[in-house]
């Protein structure tokens, strides 16, 4: 028998007992539907996270901090003061005292093998922001990290090489600052109110170069370029002892992004030995991703359990049809059909059950998924631009159909072996 | 009797079970069936006639003894060759038809060619040919279950014919039919034997059917008790 005939025969045999077949297909459908949805959820979220990693910073950046000393926990012993280490107490980090970095530290980090460059991550305290005749609003600024990609609503990304002060504002600031839309903010001047060491408030101006979309990470603050950061800090530290500015929460260092994971680990351990903790941007968001992956794995597990239950349905269905078709199998064998072809005929029927169940299941999941996407993204996740809660790629859908067909084949092999082993004489005997 | 041997059984023994439960279905049977001959294997139920037919049709192996087809020892053939041989040389007609009731007559007739791997257009052409031979071409599209008993048996004969076999095995071909329909089926089978030279091996307990064959082999308790040859009329 030709393979095409086996497939066609298996397919039509499947519909001989319509009720039984549809019940089995429903069981497979449930499993495939769930698997497609959970998989779509997983890839939708991880695609978004990957995009966010791009927003947060470049792939070749290490965030370096001095090693902190916890003093907040009741069990912690009181630490001795070390005059060589500058520390600040951070309540936001659970009363952890972190060691701040100084220019000497930056110089030391630059000398570490594998570090291409290192810059202190500068911070500026802004009292308010405003534009034109708008009211004054609270705003926090963050230094733009070269290479970071933001989803922009309008304009372009700022550059640290720019010789003029530039700012990238979040889309939420558009209407408070008196702009009608994102486009009309581009090129406009914006003011930053800063109080100096003597207690006098003054303003620094910068040009709005771009407007960034809301995102999960790194989207809430105003991103400013180095030029503007320098201006703000110069104003802020006016009237203070020169050493005051020499204190940074962390530094950003760049390494060769093409190095292997092992080499990166080595680099990190060299930094640890020198007394600094380091993280890549991916490390920072990695834990979040691990949680999402874990949840998706658990959901996938449920889907697989549903498929396992369905595979017993397949076994049952096929055992019954082998039973019913005993004489037919005997006849086909008498007519010269080989045992291996009989096996293929019945396992083909199982694979067909898997194929139809998973095809219908994944098509339904894609349909339901796009409805969920539309509802969710127009309601409570509206602000997360670029998020596709459920993402379905043809490759992943195809592989789900493939997996289900594989499971169905395994389930069908037991009845199929039974059919293949049948003795034509026993099957044809009628007394 | 100069026609070459089509099927030959030599001292064929078939036993089932072991020890105390040992059952001898055939206790040493030798027959030589010539090409173009019609042979009736006749006997009561339990006489071993079905077992003999299964052995001759190469569906089973004898416990001892030898079966030769066209002079070749069947024991030397591989499974694949046996399957191909049954597909190309043998046609089967059964008392219980073994038709797929929900499939069309055409689909049922096509089955041996499908197994042989013949292409679609070719097998449909040959199915119509075979159905025409049993005068059922107009029923090609009907479902097999909607046919009368006689029509079903004609479909079975068409299915046996489609592969252009040299031997047709008919196991109680008229057993499920009334006598007038049975006679029609018999005529059809003997027509094939006389006009197309197809060797016919009929297993039956019906003496009237057996008498129409060239030779009657009477089996009892697994042994040949009588062999009657009709006077050749040629």
């Amino acid at each position: 028998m030709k393979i095409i005939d086996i497939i066609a025969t298996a397919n039509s045999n499947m519909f001989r007992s319509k009720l039984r077949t549809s019940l089995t297909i429903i069981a497979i459908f449930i499993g495939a539907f769930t698997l497609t949805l959970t998989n779509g959820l997983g890839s939708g979220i991880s695609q978004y996270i990957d995009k966010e990693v791009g927003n947060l910073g470049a792939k070749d950046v290490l965030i370096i901090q001095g090693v902190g000393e916890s003093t907040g926990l009741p069990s912690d012993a009181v630490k001795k003061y070390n005059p060589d280490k500058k520390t600040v107490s951070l309540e936001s980090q659970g009363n952890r005292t972190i060691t701040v970095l100084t220019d000497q530290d930056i110089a030391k980090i630059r000398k570490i093998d594998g570090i291409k460059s290192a810059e202190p991550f500068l911070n500026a305290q802004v009292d308010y922001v405003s534009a034109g005749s708008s009211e004054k609003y609270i705003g926090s600024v963050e230094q733009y990290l070269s290479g970071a990609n933001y989803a922009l609503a309008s304009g372009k990304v700022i550059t640290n090489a720019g010789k003029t002060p530039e700012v990238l504002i979040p889309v939420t600031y558009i209407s408070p600052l008196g702009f009608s839309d994102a486009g009309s903010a581009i090129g406009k001047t914006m003011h930053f109110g800063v109080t100096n060491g003597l207690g006098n408030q003054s303003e620094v101006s910068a040009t709005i170069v771009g407007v960034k979309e809301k995102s999960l990470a790194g989207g809430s603050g105003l991103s400013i370029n180095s030029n503007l950061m320098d201006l703000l800090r110069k104003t802020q530290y006016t009237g203070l002892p020169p050493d005051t500015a020499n204190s940074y929460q962390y530094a950003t260092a760049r390494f060769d992004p093409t190095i292997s994971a092992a080499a990166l680990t080595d680099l990190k351990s060299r930094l640890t030995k020198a007394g600094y903790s380091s993280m890549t941007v991916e490390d920072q968001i990695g834990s979040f991703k691990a949680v999402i992956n874990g949840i998706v794995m658990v959901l996938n597990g449920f889907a697989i359990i549903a498929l396992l239950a369905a595979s017993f349905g397949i076994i049952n269905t096929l055992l019954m049809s082998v039973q019913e078709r005993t004489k037919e199998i005997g006849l086909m064998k008498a007519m010269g059909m080989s045992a291996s072809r009989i096996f293929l005929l019945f396992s083909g029927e199982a694979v067909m059950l898997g194929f139809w169940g998973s095809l219908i299941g994944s098509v339904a999941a894609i349909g339901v998924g796009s409805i969920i996407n539309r509802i969710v993204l127009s309601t409570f996740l509206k602000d997360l631009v670029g998020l596709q809660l459920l993402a379905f790629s043809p490759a992943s859908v195809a592989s789900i159909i493939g997996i289900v067909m594989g499971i169905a084949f395994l389930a069908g092999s037991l009845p199929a072996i039974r059919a293949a082993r049948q003795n034509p004489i026993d099957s044809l005997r009628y007394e | 009797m100069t026609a070459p041997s089509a099927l030959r059984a030599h001292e064929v023994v078939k036993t089932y079970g072991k020890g105390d439960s040992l059952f001898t279905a055939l206790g040493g049977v030798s027959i030589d069936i010539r090409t173009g001959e019609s042979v009736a294997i006749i006997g009561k139920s339990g006489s071993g006639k079905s077992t003999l037919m299964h052995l001759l049709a190469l569906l089973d192996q004898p416990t001892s003894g030898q079966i030769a087809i066209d002079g070749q020892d069947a024991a030397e053939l591989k499974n694949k060759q046996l399957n191909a041989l049954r597909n190309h040389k043998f046609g089967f007609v059964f008392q219980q038809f073994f038709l797929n009731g929900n499939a069309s007559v055409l689909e049922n007739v096509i089955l041996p060619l499908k197994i042989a791997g013949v292409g679609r257009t070719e097998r449909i052409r040959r199915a119509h040919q075979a159905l025409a031979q049993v005068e059922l071409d107009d029923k090609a599209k009907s479902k097999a279950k909607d046919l009368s008993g006689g029509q079903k048996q004609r479909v079975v004969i068409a299915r046996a014919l489609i592969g252009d076999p040299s031997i047709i095995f008919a196991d109680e071909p008229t057993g499920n039919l009334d006598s007038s329909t049975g006679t029609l089926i018999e005529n059809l089978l003997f027509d094939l034997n006389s006009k197309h030279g197809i060797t016919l091996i009929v297993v039956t307990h019906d003496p009237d059917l057996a008498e129409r064959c060239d030779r009657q082999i009477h089996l009892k308790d697994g042994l040949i008790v009588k062999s009657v040859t009709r006077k050749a009329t040629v």
Side-chain angles (χ1 to χ4, degrees):
Chain A
M1 211 178 209
K2 286 181 183 167
I3 291 297
I4 181 101
D5 284 329
I6 288 183
I7 295 169
T9 310
N11 200 38
S12 64
N13 281 349
M14 199 177 78
F15 291 107
R16 276 212 221 161
S17 172
K18 290 192 180 65
L19 179 65
R20 200 166 66 201
T21 299
S22 11
L23 289 174
T24 313
I25 286 185
I26 287 172
I28 301 167
F29 168 91
I30 293 168
F33 177 83
T34 318
L35 193 59
T36 311
L37 269 190
T38 56
N39 237 4
L41 185 68
S43 56
I45 293 178
S46 65
Q47 272 174 23
Y48 182 67
I49 290 176
D50 287 344
K51 226 182 279 174
E52 289 289 297
V53 171
N55 289 354
L56 265 189
K59 299 249 180 235
D60 61 341
V61 171
L62 274 173
I63 312 286
I64 297 173
Q65 279 186 309
V67 174
E69 287 184 29
S70 168
T71 55
L73 297 174
S75 59
D76 288 334
V78 179
K79 303 281 179 355
K80 273 202 180 133
Y81 170 68
N82 182 347
D84 293 336
K85 275 191 171 179
K86 266 188 164 183
T87 57
V88 291
S89 169
L90 285 180
E91 266 180 80
S92 64
Q93 294 195 8
N95 279 339
R96 209 157 65 97
T97 302
I98 68 156
T99 308
V100 295
L101 302 173
T102 60
D103 287 335
Q104 289 79 7
D105 287 312
I106 305 295
K108 202 171 141 193
I109 291 167
R110 280 186 185 132
K111 281 190 195 121
I112 288 171
D113 188 26
I115 298 289
K116 278 163 62 179
S117 66
E119 296 297 331
F121 194 87
L122 302 173
N123 214 349
Q125 212 63 51
V126 172
D127 300 335
Y128 65 85
V129 294
S130 67
S133 56
S134 81
E135 291 198 51
K136 294 169 178 172
Y137 295 94
I138 294 170
S140 71
V141 296
E142 56 195 24
Q143 161 95 59
Y144 172 70
L145 216 54
S146 290
N149 260 320
Y150 291 109
L152 292 181
S154 183
K156 56 184 174 59
V157 174
I158 51 178
T159 57
N160 283 328
K163 296 284 180 240
T164 53
E166 292 175 349
V167 61
L168 207 55
I169 62 170
V171 74
T172 42
Y173 278 81
I174 293 295
S175 108
L177 292 180
F179 301 115
S180 55
D181 56 54
S184 64
I186 308 301
K188 299 283 170 17
T189 304
M190 179 165 179
H191 313 292
F192 296 83
V194 182
T195 306
N196 68 13
L198 307 170
N200 300 326
Q201 203 174 49
S202 60
E203 275 189 354
V204 173
S205 299
T207 313
I208 299 171
V209 173
V211 178
K212 55 183 182 177
E213 296 280 12
K214 268 193 189 174
S215 73
L216 256 187
S220 58
L222 295 94
S223 300
I224 61 175
N225 69 349
S226 312
N227 187 291
L228 179 54
M229 183 57 86
D230 289 345
L231 280 175
L232 290 173
R233 284 173 69 87
K234 205 184 276 171
T235 314
Q236 188 182 338
Y237 290 108
T238 302
L240 290 174
D243 197 37
T244 322
N246 182 17
S247 148
Y248 318 107
Q249 266 188 38
Y250 52 94
T252 59
R254 288 180 190 267
F255 58 93
D256 181 0
T258 60
I259 61 170
S260 67
L264 182 58
T265 314
D266 284 349
L267 174 57
K268 284 184 192 166
S269 64
R270 280 197 294 278
L271 283 162
T272 311
K273 243 178 247 163
Y276 306 104
S277 72
S278 55
M279 275 179 134
T280 61
V281 174
E282 271 178 305
D283 290 339
Q284 283 185 316
I285 208 154
S287 53
F288 184 54
K289 209 172 173 180
V291 170
I292 294 292
N293 282 344
I295 292 170
V296 169
M297 289 277 268
V298 169
L299 291 175
N300 277 349
F302 286 128
I304 295 286
I305 288 170
L307 282 174
L308 277 183
S311 67
F312 282 94
I314 296 175
I315 296 176
N316 203 16
T317 302
L318 284 177
L319 278 180
M320 283 168 85
S321 52
V322 170
Q323 196 75 26
E324 279 171 11
R325 279 183 244 157
T326 302
K327 293 207 150 82
E328 194 184 323
I329 296 164
L331 179 75
M332 289 194 289
K333 283 193 143 183
M335 287 176 172
M337 184 129 156
S338 65
S340 60
R341 295 277 142 145
I342 298 269
F343 175 85
L344 282 183
L345 190 60
F346 279 89
S347 54
E349 196 176 327
V351 170
M352 279 294 155
L353 283 169
F355 172 73
W356 288 113
S358 58
L359 184 73
I360 300 168
S362 50
V363 166
I366 292 170
V368 170
S370 46
I371 293 168
I372 292 177
N373 264 346
R374 204 173 308 156
I375 293 171
V376 163
L377 297 181
S378 63
T379 54
F380 62 95
L381 291 179
K382 189 165 65 184
D383 296 337
L384 296 178
V385 174
L387 171 66
Q388 189 83 359
L389 189 61
L390 295 148
F392 305 101
S393 72
S396 72
V397 170
S399 63
I400 286 169
I401 293 177
I403 289 169
V404 174
M405 283 167 78
I407 292 174
F409 175 79
L410 289 179
S413 59
L414 174 77
I417 287 171
R418 188 174 274 204
R421 283 201 184 141
Q422 269 186 9
N423 185 341
I425 301 166
D426 293 340
S427 316
L428 292 174
R429 187 161 286 154
Y430 43 82
E431 259 146 358
Chain B
M1 291 291 248
T2 48
S5 165
L7 268 175
R8 196 177 62 228
H10 179 70
E11 285 301 319
V12 167
V13 175
K14 182 71 186 176
T15 56
Y16 296 102
K18 269 181 193 166
D20 286 344
S21 60
L22 185 84
F23 168 71
T24 307
L26 285 177
V29 169
S30 299
I31 65 173
D32 191 356
I33 295 165
R34 310 245 144 213
T35 303
E37 207 182 356
S38 61
V39 176
I41 300 170
I42 190 162
K44 287 180 185 153
S45 118
S47 60
K49 60 184 193 302
S50 289
T51 306
L52 180 60
M53 190 203 85
H54 292 147
L55 290 173
L56 289 173
L58 309 179
L59 289 168
D60 204 354
Q61 285 92 42
T63 312
S64 71
Q66 192 202 43
I67 307 273
I69 174 150
D70 295 336
Q72 197 189 4
D73 187 356
E76 287 168 2
L77 295 170
K78 292 196 181 94
N79 251 338
K80 206 176 169 180
Q81 292 170 303
L82 275 178
N83 283 334
L85 200 122
R86 279 205 303 275
N87 188 270
H88 296 306
K89 296 203 81 149
F90 295 171
F92 293 96
V93 176
F94 303 97
Q95 178 183 18
Q96 290 194 330
F97 316 138
F98 298 140
L99 292 170
N100 178 0
N102 284 316
S104 70
V105 165
L106 192 78
E107 283 298 319
N108 273 292
V109 172
I110 272 172
L111 187 61
L113 292 189
K114 227 186 207 181
I115 290 170
V118 174
R120 199 176 147 69
T121 29
E122 169 69 3
R123 66 193 186 213
I124 288 176
R125 189 185 65 79
R126 280 167 68 178
H128 282 298
Q129 224 170 41
L131 281 170
Q133 256 182 294
V134 298
E135 288 164 18
L136 262 185
D137 206 15
D138 54 326
K139 295 279 185 191
K141 289 204 164 67
S142 315
K143 280 191 173 182
K145 65 176 176 193
D146 296 335
L147 302 182
S148 71
Q151 287 173 324
K152 279 180 186 164
Q153 198 58 298
R154 272 147 74 193
V155 173
V156 172
I157 291 173
R159 184 177 65 190
L161 276 178
I162 195 172
D164 203 8
S166 53
I167 303 174
I168 286 182
F169 292 92
D171 195 351
E172 302 283 11
T174 56
N176 264 351
L177 305 172
D178 61 64
S179 58
S180 63
T181 327
T183 309
L184 282 173
I185 294 297
E186 284 173 23
N187 290 344
L188 194 55
L189 286 172
F190 285 107
D191 247 27
L192 292 170
N193 173 248
S194 57
K195 288 188 185 152
H196 298 270
I198 297 174
T199 309
L200 187 64
I201 299 172
V202 185
V203 172
T204 187
H205 58 260
D206 175 6
D208 294 338
L209 170 58
E211 258 170 39
R212 294 187 64 173
C213 294
D214 296 336
R215 190 150 48 122
Q216 297 174 42
I217 293 163
H218 290 261
L219 280 184
K220 196 181 176 188
D221 298 330
L223 291 168
I224 296 177
V225 288
K226 194 167 73 171
S227 184
V228 182
T229 308
R230 202 159 50 118
K231 291 275 183 289
T233 49
V234 181

